Amino acid sequence: MQLFKHQPIKIYNSLSGTKETFKPINEGYVGMYVCGPTVYSNVHLGNVRTFMSFDMIFRYLKHVGYKVRYVRNITDAGHLENDADAGEDKITKKARLEQIEPMEIVQRYTVDFHNILNTFNFLPPSIEPTATGHIIEQIELIKDILNNGFAYQVNGSVYFDVHKFNETHDYGILSKRKLEDLIHNTRELDGQGDKKNPQDFALWKKAEPQHIMRWPSPWGDGFPGWHLECTAMSTKYLGDQFDIHGGGMDLKFPHHECEIAQNEAAKGQSPVNYWMHANMLELNGQRMSKSTGNTVNPDELLSGNNKFFSKAFAPSVIRFFMAQAHYRSVLDLTDDGLIASEKGFFRLMDAINLLDGLKASETSSVDINTWKQKCYDAMNDDFNSPILIANLFEAAKYINQVKEGSETLTKEDAALLKTTLHAFLFDVLGLENVTKKESGQDKLSGAVNVLIKLRQEARANKDFAMSDKIRDELAEAGILLKDGKEGTTFSLL
RNA sequence: GGUGUCGUGGCCGAGUGGCUAGGCUCAGCUCUGCAAAAGCUGCUACAGCGGUUCGAAUCCGCUCGACACCUCCA
């Protein structure tokens, strides 16, 4: 189904600062690259939000029929903590602290990353390349950049010559910075060492003898610069020029700026047509930061084992909460916010679960096709999931109204409503119907139905003491009874 | 200091030059043996001050405030 032919998508392009109609290089195919995590510690929720935004975008592009190659890398090469010549890289530092091999650190936190993402129902990317697996490609790139005169070699290291590059190209085109401003505003850093100018960045760094993560190169043993791996891996799998490159807002400068510069220097063309940047996640109005303690891990949020939140939240509730904000807005994670989202989420799910039991009518009093297009319009407008969700709540209202008898649906419209809702909730937003199991044919539901029947009998006999006892004690056990015109149903929590 | 983003009702969070998302909360009503759930109704906001306009929360300027980046960071 090539829905995309009728559903033109607009994407906010950070490069132009405007929303542009998305036109892939090859019709029907999309190449998308997203900067993945550096695996030196547990993923934090900010990472999760960024990757979740792109997971949703990946899902929607697939939903409208694009064949998407989604590449998200793992940074495992161990870059320096700062651009100075001295100092350990993050992975080595962690390895020393934990007294294990750097590659053990990489393995441990890569596994953690995958576990967390699976818990949140992420789709795996099409390709998940690692920096250490692409050293040769990175070395080749450096050779190209050197040959084209945009880099220089000093003491076993190779640096990108930003000033030289800026003479013929525009360094700062993405982040809207001017090189001269950067020159004036660069802080005094220690150990700028071999660099001709502080704005230059490393393509290859010489490894000191104690440096464990090292590879041979034409310039001696060393390791690649941070910005280089993304250029190497994105172009290897997506071509010298590809459709979408995403990442967190904080990577815009210098990381993405440097990627553009590297690609132009090596291959003579700008690599990416649409740059997308996801905004930051805050915790109680403050930036999440390990140093100030204003941080919470995904598993702490899921388990409720933390000092910021009053209870545990299901992965889908957190997903839903995040989808209620636009990916380009700052989102503040709060207890109240999550609780409000949780209630809304379950209301939505309860409505979905009513769909199969609805009575069909001869005519429909609501226009499902118009509603459906509004859902697409929302996502087509730079993936506006909050608007989409507003429309999904409208659908939930229809469903409840049909159940009440104030609106009607034909069998066909009910089916269309159902497939559309499922597509957006589960395929696009990646949510999971956490109440589905309970309302199904399982043993719990059989047992609860027996109690519901007993309660009905008690009520028929006006034995309200007994009927209320059943209801209240079930409630205490976390099972909520809901009396309706068509009988009693229940839900958990 | 520089660059950029933003400041929306009790809270969260969309959005557009005029027709005033959505969720949560709150109040009233309907339904109910009573509740709960659901439905209906109400609460009408856009930091402040100027300007452009027939008309601005939406465009421009200034002020105040917040955040991000400029240094590893999703």
Side-chain angles (χ1 to χ4, degrees), chain A residues 383-404:
Chain A
F383 310 99
N384 198 321
S385 53
I387 298 283
L388 169 66
I389 288 172
N391 284 308
L392 299 182
F393 274 111
E394 292 298 325
K397 195 168 166 181
Y398 293 155
I399 292 167
N400 285 321
Q401 285 172 329
V402 171
K403 181 161 176 276
E404 293 280 312

Side-chain angles (χ1 to χ4, degrees), chain A residues 44-53 56 116 120 122 279-282 288 296-298 301 309 314-334 337-338 341-342 345 383-387 389 429 431:
Chain A
H44 80 235
L45 275 165
N47 291 270
V48 171
R49 146 115 127 143
T50 296
F51 298 134
M52 198 177 278
S53 296
M56 179 191 75
I116 294 292
F120 282 110
F122 275 61
N279 218 138
M280 303 289 109
L281 182 72
E282 294 180 349
M288 280 202 200
V296 62
N297 280 340
L301 186 60
F309 295 93
S316 279
V317 168
I318 296 165
R319 248 194 116 106
F320 186 71
F321 170 78
M322 290 186 175
Q324 277 186 299
H326 187 83
Y327 78 90
R328 281 192 290 116
S329 298
V330 174
L331 176 61
D332 190 14
L333 186 69
T334 62
L338 276 173
S341 284
E342 182 178 56
F345 174 71
F383 310 99
N384 198 321
S385 53
I387 298 283
I389 288 172
L429 294 179
L431 302 169

Side-chain angles (χ1 to χ4, degrees), chain A residues 401-459:
Chain A
Q401 285 172 329
V402 171
K403 181 161 176 276
E404 293 280 312
S406 59
E407 302 280 2
T408 59
L409 274 181
T410 63
K411 202 176 159 194
E412 292 71 29
D413 277 345
L416 179 61
L417 184 60
K418 184 176 174 177
T419 50
T420 308
L421 274 172
H422 277 246
F424 279 106
L425 280 166
F426 306 131
D427 299 345
V428 175
L429 294 179
L431 302 169
E432 292 171 296
N433 193 344
V434 286
T435 60
K436 195 197 274 171
K437 248 182 276 163
E438 290 82 32
S439 61
Q441 299 294 316
D442 66 350
K443 288 171 186 163
L444 175 68
S445 121
V448 174
N449 283 332
V450 169
L451 290 165
I452 287 173
K453 212 167 133 197
L454 286 173
R455 176 164 165 270
Q456 291 298 23
E457 286 171 14
R459 292 175 74 200

Side-chain angles (χ1 to χ4, degrees), chain A residues 201-272:
Chain A
F201 55 89
L203 297 172
W204 188 263
K205 291 285 284 187
K206 177 186 181 178
E208 299 302 323
Q210 69 273 18
H211 200 101
I212 302 170
M213 297 188 102
R214 60 200 298 143
W215 293 268
S217 81
W219 314 283
D221 279 9
F223 53 96
W226 172 42
H227 310 303
L228 196 61
E229 59 177 67
C230 287
T231 299
M233 292 185 276
S234 61
T235 55
K236 170 159 182 165
Y237 298 111
L238 299 173
D240 288 351
Q241 205 159 26
F242 55 95
D243 299 303
I244 297 172
H245 188 130
M249 203 75 118
D250 48 352
L251 294 184
K252 201 168 174 183
F253 188 89
H255 185 55
H256 292 158
E257 196 69 62
C258 293
E259 278 190 55
I260 293 176
Q262 286 168 343
N263 211 256
E264 289 186 344
K267 299 162 192 290
Q269 56 187 331
S270 190
V272 177

Side-chain angles (χ1 to χ4, degrees), chain A residues 299-324:
Chain A
D299 54 337
E300 290 170 342
L301 186 60
L302 291 165
S303 67
N305 182 24
N306 63 76
K307 62 179 180 180
F308 296 101
F309 295 93
S310 59
K311 65 188 287 295
F313 293 97
S316 279
V317 168
I318 296 165
R319 248 194 116 106
F320 186 71
F321 170 78
M322 290 186 175
Q324 277 186 299

